[in-house]
Amino acid sequence: MNVFEAIEKRRAVKLFDPEAKIRPEDERRMLDAARLAPTAFNMQNWRFVKVRDPEIRAGIRAAAWDQAQMTEASLLVVICADLKAWKRQPERYWAHAPAAFRELIVRSMQDFYRGRPDMERDEAMRSCGLAAMNLMLAAQALGYDTCPMDGFDFERVGELIALPEDHVIGLIVAIGRQREPVWPRGGRLSADEVVFEDRFPADD
Amino acid sequence: MNVFEAIEKRRAVKLFDPEAKIRPEDERRMLDAARLAPTAFNMQNWRFVKVRDPEIRAGIRAAAWDQAQMTEASLLVVICADLKAWKRQPERYWAHAPAAFRELIVRSMQDFYRGRPDMERDEAMRSCGLAAMNLMLAAQALGYDTCPMDGFDFERVGELIALPEDHVIGLIVAIGRQREPVWPRGGRLSADEVVFEDRFPADD
């Protein structure tokens, strides 16, 4: 499927067919696509937890105001990030680069994040967003539907998936097949409300 | 271009051809694609500042450790977000929905963000990440190269683009045509280091 077609066809699906299955090969391709999303300093700080276990799924649903996607979608991918990826053997992110370059970039990375917890967290959320989009477009291209979700109790879901220290949850992507078509897109802001030239207008 | 091909071909390009131009029609299509990225409660909290002005570009380069992409790429898109999108006439995000549903969702949105500045900020960064990925894949599909960047002085770039109060910068995407091929991908973490089943392993 063409990039523009996938971007246009992707919609947040609420009603999934609980009987639908994802082919293992498709699942692997989606996750491979997610892992090709860019990260700052190539630190690959995202982590993907594929939740299939019915008990964990029920627990997540209970922690998400009973939203049906949490148990009815074929798969949930909890997209998380390691806040401290920048200091966990960072040399490995540049294993194939010349040694001098590797040392330079690893040093820059340390200088960039050290003592900046806000930047660590922003980086986590950015990386999760980038990876989630790749994941959803790959799913779309393979004929599946998706729903990106962040309406849930993050702490409770963290407990359910044994989220390690220094990790955060970014969002959950539900993947499966819709059981009825979603509404047409509505309430779109126009381009001139969100796209500007050179700077924000003075009266914004 | 096929979704998987775009995802695989996309690389962070550092050396752009300073003479290359982006066709206006292509630029419009890229930004349209970015605006189709999903946002929580459909609040479309991202804002896109297309920076062409050479003086602003030079200022951004100076605020980014002199990285050449900032002036050599054909276009810079500073992807920002409005932290308070959830309370700026939120009814408009659901203008086409039945009134009762609109009221319900607008109320949920207010309850969700009120008094949660951390959630506002996380939402901003997630939305910027999702939109940036659509933008880069659309650019790739149209034959351009891109570079996502967050190594710059956010405050200084905010001044240069007249970032309004209650807005934040997520990242900058440089778009143009590469002037030499990038290195092959290296330093990739394996799938089993970042993809887990049901929960994180106990020793992670």
Side-chain angles (χ1 to χ4, degrees):
Chain A
M1 186 183 286
N2 169 295
V3 170
F4 289 98
E5 195 184 345
I7 288 174
E8 280 152 26
K9 283 200 173 161
R10 185 214 56 77
R11 301 294 308 283
V13 162
K14 306 288 189 282
L15 294 172
F16 285 94
D17 171 1
E19 303 303 321
K21 300 265 180 271
I22 298 176
R23 294 191 316 147
E25 167 65 11
D26 290 345
E27 186 177 306
R28 193 189 57 69
R29 291 188 71 193
M30 290 174 204
L31 271 301
D32 285 352
R35 293 192 302 119
L36 287 174
T39 53
F41 300 102
N42 189 37
M43 67 182 170
Q44 302 159 72
N45 53 336
W46 16 245
R47 300 292 179 265
F48 306 93
V49 183
K50 300 186 291 181
V51 182
R52 241 180 293 268
D53 181 288
E55 243 176 87
I56 302 179
R57 299 277 295 260
I60 295 178
R61 180 166 171 167
W65 304 293
D66 199 37
Q67 288 175 92
Q69 300 95 309
M70 296 303 195
T71 55
E72 294 183 351
S74 310
L75 185 69
L76 292 187
V77 181
V78 187
I79 306 185
C80 310
D82 181 352
L83 295 169
K84 303 294 182 192
W86 60 275
K87 54 172 165 175
R88 294 198 216 277
Q89 303 167 262
E91 307 74 23
R92 63 195 167 134
Y93 311 137
W94 293 88
H96 296 69
F101 183 83
R102 179 166 58 242
E103 279 166 36
L104 178 72
I105 200 156
V106 167
R107 203 162 44 233
S108 310
M109 197 185 320
Q110 307 308 304
D111 292 345
F112 192 71
Y113 296 106
R114 193 182 302 113
R116 298 176 76 193
D118 292 352
M119 179 55 87
E120 283 178 344
R121 187 170 183 104
D122 287 353
E123 204 66 270
M125 295 297 154
R126 265 191 295 265
S127 288
C128 288
L130 289 158
M133 200 72 241
N134 264 9
L135 178 65
M136 291 189 283
L137 293 178
Q140 195 75 38
L142 293 167
Y144 299 96
D145 300 293
T146 58
C147 189
M149 306 178 76
D150 65 7
F152 53 85
D153 178 335
F154 280 63
E155 199 162 317
R156 177 68 189 130
V157 174
E159 289 165 8
L160 289 165
I161 62 166
L163 188 75
E165 200 182 348
D166 289 330
H167 286 57
V168 291
I169 296 175
L171 73 164
I172 294 177
V173 174
I175 310 176
R177 291 192 198 273
Q178 64 180 10
R179 64 167 197 263
E180 50 184 78
V182 296
W183 295 339
R185 286 184 195 278
R188 305 295 304 167
L189 301 184
S190 63
D192 56 11
E193 291 175 277
V194 299
V195 182
F196 307 106
E197 296 276 346
D198 289 323
R199 59 177 71 77
F200 281 86
D203 61 344
D204 194 75
Chain B
M1 185 183 287
N2 170 293
V3 169
F4 289 98
E5 194 184 344
I7 288 174
E8 279 152 27
K9 284 198 172 163
R10 185 214 55 79
R11 300 294 308 282
V13 161
K14 306 287 190 284
L15 295 171
F16 285 94
D17 171 1
E19 303 303 322
K21 300 266 182 268
I22 298 175
R23 295 191 316 145
E25 166 64 11
D26 290 345
E27 186 178 305
R28 193 189 55 71
R29 290 189 72 194
M30 290 174 205
L31 271 300
D32 284 352
R35 293 192 300 119
L36 286 175
T39 53
F41 299 101
N42 190 37
M43 67 182 171
Q44 302 159 72
N45 52 337
W46 16 245
R47 300 292 179 266
F48 306 93
V49 183
K50 300 186 292 182
V51 182
R52 241 179 293 266
D53 181 290
E55 243 177 86
I56 301 179
R57 299 276 296 258
I60 294 177
R61 179 166 172 166
W65 305 293
D66 199 36
Q67 289 176 92
Q69 300 97 308
M70 296 303 195
T71 56
E72 294 183 352
S74 309
L75 185 68
L76 292 186
V77 181
V78 187
I79 306 187
C80 309
D82 180 353
L83 295 169
K84 302 294 182 191
W86 59 277
K87 53 172 167 176
R88 293 197 217 277
Q89 303 168 261
E91 307 74 24
R92 63 195 167 134
Y93 310 138
W94 294 88
H96 296 69
F101 183 83
R102 179 165 59 243
E103 279 166 36
L104 178 72
I105 201 158
V106 167
R107 202 161 46 230
S108 310
M109 199 186 317
Q110 307 308 303
D111 292 344
F112 192 72
Y113 295 106
R114 192 182 303 114
R116 298 176 74 193
D118 293 353
M119 179 54 86
E120 283 177 344
R121 188 171 182 104
D122 287 352
E123 204 66 90
M125 295 297 154
R126 265 192 295 265
S127 289
C128 288
L130 290 159
M133 200 71 241
N134 263 9
L135 178 65
M136 292 189 283
L137 294 177
Q140 196 74 37
L142 293 167
Y144 300 96
D145 300 294
T146 58
C147 189
M149 307 178 75
D150 65 7
F152 52 85
D153 179 336
F154 279 63
E155 198 161 318
R156 177 67 188 130
V157 173
E159 289 165 9
L160 290 164
I161 62 166
L163 187 74
E165 198 183 348
D166 289 330
H167 286 57
V168 291
I169 296 175
L171 72 164
I172 294 178
V173 173
I175 310 174
R177 290 191 198 275
Q178 64 180 10
R179 65 168 196 264
E180 50 183 78
V182 296
W183 294 341
R185 286 183 196 277
R188 305 294 304 166
L189 301 183
S190 64
D192 56 12
E193 289 174 279
V194 299
V195 182
F196 307 106
E197 296 276 346
D198 289 323
R199 59 177 72 75
F200 281 86
D203 62 343
D204 194 73

